[in-house]
Amino acid sequence: MQTRLTEDELAVQDAFRTFFANESPSTVVREAERTGGFSTELWAGLATIGGTGMALPGAVGGGDATLCDLAVVADVYGAHLAPVPLIEHAVAARLLATIGGHDELVGELANGTPLATIALRPPVDGIARFVPAGAVADVVLAHVGDGIVLDRSAPSGETLPNTGGLALAHRRLTDDVISVDHAAWNHALDEWRGLTAAAYVGLGRRVIEMGVEYSRERVQFGVPIGTFQALQQGYADASTRIEGAHLLAHRAVWALETRQPDASRLAGMALLFAAEAARFATDRSMQYHGGYGFSEEYDVQLYHRRATAWILQLGDPSLEYARLADGEFGPAVDGRMA
Amino acid sequence: MDFSFPPEAEAFRSEVRDFLATNLTEEMIEATHDGTMHIPALHRAMAERGWLSGPVPAALGGGGRSALESVILNEEMQLARAPIDAMGVTVIVAAILLEHGDDHLKQHVVPRLLDGSSLACFGYSEPEFGSDVAAAKTRAERDGDEWLINGAKMWTTMAHIADYVLLLTRTDPDVPKHKGLSFFLVPLNTPGIEIQPVPTMAIERSNATFYDDVRLGDEWRVGDVNGGWSVMKTALKYERGIAGGQFLSPPVIDAAVDWAQNHTRPDGTKPIEDPTVREKLIRALIDVEVCRGFAYHCADLANQGVMFGVEGSMTKLFASESYKRHCRDFHDMMGAEGLLTHESADAHLGGRIEENLRHSPVTTIYGGTSEINRNVVAEGHLGMPRAR
Ligand SMILES: Cc1cc2nc3c(=O)[nH]c(=O)nc-3n(C[C@H](O)[C@H](O)[C@H](O)COP(=O)(O)OP(=O)(O)OC[C@H]3O[C@@H](n4cnc5c(N)ncnc54)[C@H](O)[C@@H]3O)c2cc1C
């Protein structure tokens, strides 16, 4: 047992922290939002430092890093709201590597071009709706009833205007099934859940940190607002939930990596808990920024909108609870027990 | 990161499970309905296996089990609904004596605490001081070679069955409050001590204890004169981090699932078919996994010799607040039938959910209130200014 980061993981964290702090300041996030939710320069930079292929097999040009390492990066990425599909690309490429037979493409994906994503929800009538990074992805993996499809049609570049400033787009997909490994698909979705949970932790920690910094500077009634216990209690609650989410997200990712029997259950739980914790944290931080937090100028609103948006890409969270309930208590069919 | 348990910890978990399956009976749990959250036979059986001394470091003469194994023991006992209150306090007191006590206490008292023949309780809180425990005013004054103790303690839980109380006293009233405190281990049969029961809204009882010219030799002092606050820190570290309380919810959730699957509502459906019930159950199970994360994290820190003040506060805060929520949610789910207490033959599973509902409010109060633990997180983790 080692619940804290290892030396190696800390080194990974350090490297990516520096990268995202330099390359993804809020000016970049804001600029990307104006241009469809994606930063070409940031993606290129990420590819240069090996961030696009780090958790792919070395044999095809990847960095052989673990999913746990990737979770550490996802956390830092979340903290900076980096406008690139780091998680979706990694999950799609890893899935393709698992399926096998696409070594050349996986090798290219390791270098960041083409850019890949996964459709989190099954296509209906050949159209996958609200595909993360769908506006810019050159490769889309999706799950249709029969199996996994690989689509290489060109992205439109047109983003659906959305709450989170994400590069969402609907995509018309091929129906050429490349694999019937449904378990591999489910595992990929669980990787997305676990990694997104880790990103939510980074987002939540950062939004609390920003709020605490602001509470030192802002003076009301002659004292810094951080001396008010109401703020302290709210931030302490938020921080406790975020640290709880951190431990759960990491346990889930470790469980996926080591193929524990409860891995899928933990990944689903981690996403729901981390999303809610981060949304609570952004709510508190916005509240304790007062009116300025609501203004466009302050970054807390960027965090607030992304905290809302990330999980909704998957659908209504209550459907995720329902899915976990089916696994736990047996399926409810038409509201009745099967 | 690595969340696997070492094989010996896994083996210990199955040993504990087997032990509880044979040694803990429904009758024993039922007997705690007299208000005393302690099962002597179970306590002795655990002592025989050396499990009480388990968490105490080997260097200090304890069993030297890893903190992971202590948390496993706590987890399995709570899942099996075994009361851990008296056991937990006794073990913590033993650990404190080993860390801060002198030879007399180590040689004459600790072995008795760890072999199951004696119990200890905490005497920190007073009628006037709870959260502000460092303001305690129960007086200990030197009288020749001896100490003379006068004052009153409130909430001295288990004092009526315990042999010793770990007493927080004021030895110097003229210095800042944290600097004038000293601890004593007071045998409860010392003349001048009176114990009065304090009933509560739940099943458990507590006590008020009174100290009137209680005479004590210096060999009963724990830690330095006026060094009581550092002893207190050791005590709180053990209490909030690994002493228990992280796994109160699972038996309540088990009972809720049982109800949801077996009860039929007036419209002919079962609660388990209701999506809102399913979501509440999943939310509760998620909270339990979060508690596990916290508990294992604290244990891992303890194993590595890292002080875990903030993490202990987060654990206690999250576990107790979520437990309270679970009790309310599932008690609500049962409607009027949830109101039946264990005294009613018709109560579901012996009134387990109702009993927990009535117990749950105290868990966010004792052992440091939620507000105090949030203060610890705000100051210790977030670096916010001291607000009191
Ligand atoms: C059933 C039971 C068993 C107990 N067992 C023991 C035991 O065995 N041994 C023992 O020593 N004690 C025991 N206690 C006492 C327990 O530790 C105290 O009740 C607890 O510390 C709170 O103190 P208080 O009750 O005096 O409340 P107070 O300290 O008076 O608090 C009242 C309210 O004010 C809030 N408050 C106080 N200070 C602050 C602050 N700085 N910031 C924000 N809010 C604040 C509190 O959070 C609370 O909501 C027990 C209590 C109960 C109810």
Side-chain angles (χ1 to χ4, degrees), chain A residues 109-121:
Chain A
L109 293 175
N111 295 321
T113 316
L115 192 157
T117 191
I118 60 167
L120 298 171
R121 302 179 310 162

Side-chain angles (χ1 to χ4, degrees), chain B residues 144-164:
Chain B
D145 290 343
E146 294 185 321
W147 292 91
L148 206 57
I149 298 177
N150 280 289
K153 292 284 171 183
M154 184 58 180
W155 307 115
T156 326
T157 310
M158 301 292 166
H160 64 293
I161 57 162
D163 305 277
Y164 304 97

Side-chain angles (χ1 to χ4, degrees), chain B residues 326-359:
Chain B
H326 304 148
C327 289
R328 192 194 52 215
D329 280 351
F330 301 130
H331 193 245
D332 280 2
M333 171 186 76
M334 296 172 73
E337 295 190 55
L339 299 173
L340 293 178
T341 70
H342 67 94
E343 287 154 322
S344 159
D346 294 336
H348 175 248
L349 293 182
R352 191 193 300 178
I353 292 180
E354 194 278 342
E355 183 177 330
N356 278 277
L357 175 91
R358 261 187 301 141
H359 170 66

